[in-house]
Each structure stands twice: as C-alpha cells, then as structure tokens.
Amino acid sequence: MQILGIETSCDETSVALVEDGRFVRANLIASQTQLHAEFGGVVPELASRAHIQKLIPMIDECFFQTGIGWDDVDALAVTQGPGLVGALLIGVETAKALAFARRKPLIPVHHIAGHLYSVMLVDPERPVTILDAAGNETPTTDEPLTYPYIGLVVSGGHSSLVLVETPSRFKLLGETVDDAAGEAFDKVAKLLDLGYPGGPIIDGLAAKGDRARFKFPRPMLNRENFDFSFSGLKTAALKLVQETTLARLKEDEKLLCDFCASFQEAIVEVLLRKAAAALDFYELRSLAIVGGVACNGRLRRAVPEYVPGARVVFPPPILCTDNAAMIAGLAFHRAAGHDACTLTLNAEANLPLVAE
Ligand code: KG4
Ligand code: ZN
C-alpha cells in the first residue's frame, strides 16, 4: 500500500511516499530556517506562505523522483495537529482538495504520534540507531522495538514522555509545563547571540566544553511525576550571562563552550533521568528518543550513564526533525475504515494525543 504524506505543522514543508507503513520511497523536506533566522524564531504568517509556495511543486517532485503516480497512491495522510494553525491549514486543505479530486481516502495523523512512529521507518541509506544496554551502537533496518515502549519526544514545540502501546494507542505520562527542550536551547542561544536554531549551535560548542564548570538547576527532577519544566533553566542561564557579561562570553571561547556544555548537560540529564524513571515505573526496557533534539550529540552519548540497561533507539537525524514520512508511515496503521475523503476534516492547533 502506497501512502502520500503531507506535513506542514511548523516551519518544514514535507511530502513523502511510504510503502506498507515502513519503506520510505521519498521524503522531501523544505526547511524554512533561513526565512525565520533573522527574526530569531518562527513567524507564523511567513511559514504559511512558504508552505503554499512549496507544497504542490514538492508533491510533483516526489512523483518524479520515485516514478510513482497518482494511480499507484492508495491514500493520502496529513498532519492534523498540533502545530501552528495557519501552517497546518495549508497542509489539511491541500490534502482535502487532492483527495477529493483524485478520489482517495484521507487519513488525519497526530504530529506527535508521527514522531513516535519515526523509529519504525526503513530507509536503507539512513538506518535507525540502536544503543544496547552496554552502550554499543548498531544501525538497523529491522523493526527496532516491540510494543509497548516508552517514547521521549523532544523538539522545538514539545517535550513529552509517552507510553506507546501500539502505533496508535498512547498514554501521555508527562509533558512540559512551560518551555519545550528545543525551545530552551533556542532561547538560550538567542541570549548568547549565537543564531537560530540554537540547538545544533549549542551542541557544537558544548562538544568542546567542560560540562561540570557551571552548576545549572535540574528542574523537576525530584518530583514524582513525568512532567518537565525548562523555563527556570532559561532564567538561570540569563542570570549567568548577566553576571559573566555577554562581552566576556563572546571573547573567551573556552568560557562560552563551558557555558554551553554545562547548560546542555542540565537538559540532557533531566530528559534522560525522567525517561529512565518512566521505564522503571512501567517495567519496560525499550525507549525511543524522537524529535529535533534527538539529534543532540551529548543526549546520544549520555544514554549509558543516565539510562543504564535499556535498549534505546534513535531515528536518523533526517527523521528526527519534522518530516512527512512519519505521517505517511503511521497512516498505514489507521487506513482501515478510511474509504472516503473527509471534507469536514479541520486543522487543530492543540489536538490532544489520545488513542486514535
Ligand atoms: O522536531 P523539530 O524539527 O521541530 C519541531 O517540531 O519543533 O525540532 C526543532 C528543534 C529546535 O528547537 C532545534 O534547536 C532543536 O530541535 N535541535 C537540537 C539539535 N538539532 C535540532 N537541539 C539540540 N541539539 C541538536 N543537535
Ligand atoms: Zn515535530
């Protein structure tokens, strides 16, 4: 079964063709990072406009690259939410129009459910990575996890811990009460005048730094729940920048790298310790870490230290950030019962993650 997926929830326009829910035939992503960089964050109106310009040419390109045509497509899938409502609307309305015109079923998909599914996709050139209990890394194109598993979703918009029972049955265990992990990276990078998006820049500087030099708080670590909070960490970073002065941080590279490494370690430790606590609580050993922040180098290397004994799976970086392959892949498991195009489908900015 061939599913055409569309993802426009934030600042990446993405179109993908996925076969039988697993095999990625094409996964095109047009990032708008350059467009938003000068504003230091995503500007919703600009995001929507760029999605409009890119979407149809990208669908054509997807067909051109794969040789697959409309006749071979069994269904369409689209991200219904959560996300920026204007951005989501472009994807949803385009998908509805195409499904109606081509007489194809249309399957709405939850963005976070898509991220959680991203570890199940097979792209032979970009396999998922399994970290075993001893910390050995193995690339695989086999199904890397069996259900149930714990999912840690960490991106610019989300930090959530989820018990994943089947591709579309979830229990939300906890989420951020304020900033998302990626948002904390981006905001602190902005404080340090490093550029946007901040996560990869801080990751690069932190690799040369001493993560024990500065003491940053480990928010909510001792609370007996699985929620996160990163805004206090951002305030601590602001205080340290003010005490140290931005000028000194800018002229002393070692100081800047130590700052980044120490800040990053606080986020990594909180994320991984909470994930470890969720594994213990549910007596599970399998963890999938997904979303843009899953690209973080230290997050990957710190797994044996903070989540000992677990089997931890990371998607390849291209499937960590927003992509339509995860949407098309998951839709395969929800295809039954979707025989007609749903013209009443609406984008939902705050779509809850419930059993679908
Ligand atoms: O999943 P994603 O592409 O979009 C959202 O749904 O938000 O995630 C983007 C986020 C940004 O906040 C970015 O700074 C962060 O992921 N990110 C990273 C790294 N690469 C991307 N954060 C830390 N380290 C990285 N290497
Ligand atoms: Zn995302």
Side-chain angles (χ1 to χ4, degrees):
M1 185 179 205
Q2 210 69 253
I3 298 187
L4 177 76
I6 294 176
E7 152 68 43
T8 62
S9 66
C10 190
D11 61 341
E12 264 99 26
T13 317
S14 183
V15 178
L17 276 163
V18 176
E19 194 173 316
D20 296 339
R22 293 205 67 210
F23 304 97
V24 181
R25 297 295 173 228
N27 181 34
L28 306 184
I29 303 171
S31 170
Q32 304 173 4
T33 302
Q34 295 287 333
L35 185 67
H36 302 289
E38 67 171 294
F39 305 101
V42 179
V43 183
E45 285 77 9
L46 294 183
S48 307
R49 209 176 303 162
H51 288 314
I52 293 178
Q53 288 165 345
K54 290 274 164 59
L55 202 46
I56 298 289
M58 285 175 72
I59 292 172
D60 289 342
E61 178 64 22
C62 225
F63 286 142
F64 178 76
Q65 280 188 11
T66 55
I68 291 168
W70 276 114
D71 288 348
D72 312 309
V73 172
D74 298 289
L76 281 91
V78 67
T79 306
Q80 184 187 8
L84 300 170
V85 75
L88 288 164
L89 265 174
I90 308 304
V92 168
E93 295 306 316
T94 306
K96 276 158 69 177
L98 291 171
F100 179 70
R102 299 284 174 180
R103 298 193 171 21
K104 308 281 181 190
L106 174 58
I107 304 161
V109 173
H110 191 285
H111 181 78
I112 300 302
H115 273 301
L116 289 164
Y117 187 76
S118 60
V119 287
M120 297 295 181
L121 295 168
V122 178
D123 180 343
E125 283 163 38
R126 302 182 188 90
V128 302
T129 305
I130 302 176
L131 268 162
D132 65 19
N136 301 314
E137 286 195 24
T138 318
T140 185
T141 51
D142 293 336
E143 219 162 87
L145 295 175
T146 49
Y147 295 93
Y149 61 85
I150 297 290
L152 171 65
V153 188
V154 273
S155 71
H158 311 275
S159 303
S160 317
L161 266 171
V162 183
L163 172 65
V164 187
E165 290 169 320
T166 70
S168 47
R169 269 192 62 202
F170 315 96
K171 185 168 181 216
L172 182 63
L173 308 179
E175 59 191 337
T176 183
V177 296
D178 41 56
D179 292 347
E183 196 177 355
F185 272 107
D186 295 340
K187 286 182 175 168
V188 168
K190 201 169 177 180
L191 270 178
L192 296 170
D193 203 14
L194 293 175
Y196 172 85
I201 305 171
I202 291 187
D203 189 359
L205 292 168
K208 297 177 274 177
D210 171 7
R211 51 183 182 268
R213 176 153 176 197
F214 298 105
K215 288 271 158 283
F216 280 96
R218 274 36 177 177
M220 315 267 283
L221 204 51
N222 298 321
R223 300 261 185 98
E224 297 203 329
N225 67 33
F226 298 118
D227 284 337
F228 300 99
S229 165
F230 292 110
S231 76
L233 191 53
K234 184 185 63 190
T235 310
L238 173 65
K239 242 178 99 207
L240 193 56
V241 172
Q242 285 166 343
E243 281 163 13
T244 319
T245 77
L246 188 56
R248 255 195 78 208
L249 281 159
K250 278 187 162 181
E251 66 193 24
D252 185 343
E253 204 200 339
K254 174 84 179 86
L255 188 69
L256 180 64
C257 291
D258 291 350
F259 183 110
C260 289
S262 305
F263 167 74
Q264 176 177 273
E265 193 65 12
I267 296 194
V268 165
E269 183 175 344
V270 170
L271 291 174
L272 292 181
R273 282 199 194 279
K274 289 240 169 190
L279 286 169
D280 282 349
F281 189 85
Y282 287 94
E283 296 179 350
L284 294 172
R285 300 273 29 104
S286 299
L287 172 69
I289 305 187
V290 300
V293 179
C295 295
N296 186 270
R298 174 63 189 153
L299 186 71
R300 291 178 179 234
R301 281 189 298 277
V303 162
E305 189 178 335
Y306 295 124
V307 202
R311 177 183 174 93
V312 183
V313 175
F314 289 91
I318 196 77
L319 297 176
C320 285
T321 49
D322 289 347
N323 67 87
M326 65 189 192
I327 304 301
L330 176 54
F332 173 77
H333 299 275
R334 309 195 51 226
H338 283 85
D339 342 303
C341 161
T342 333
L343 287 178
T344 50
L345 183 69
N346 222 337
E348 282 198 39
N350 299 312
L351 189 66
L353 183 70
V354 287
E356 291 174 332

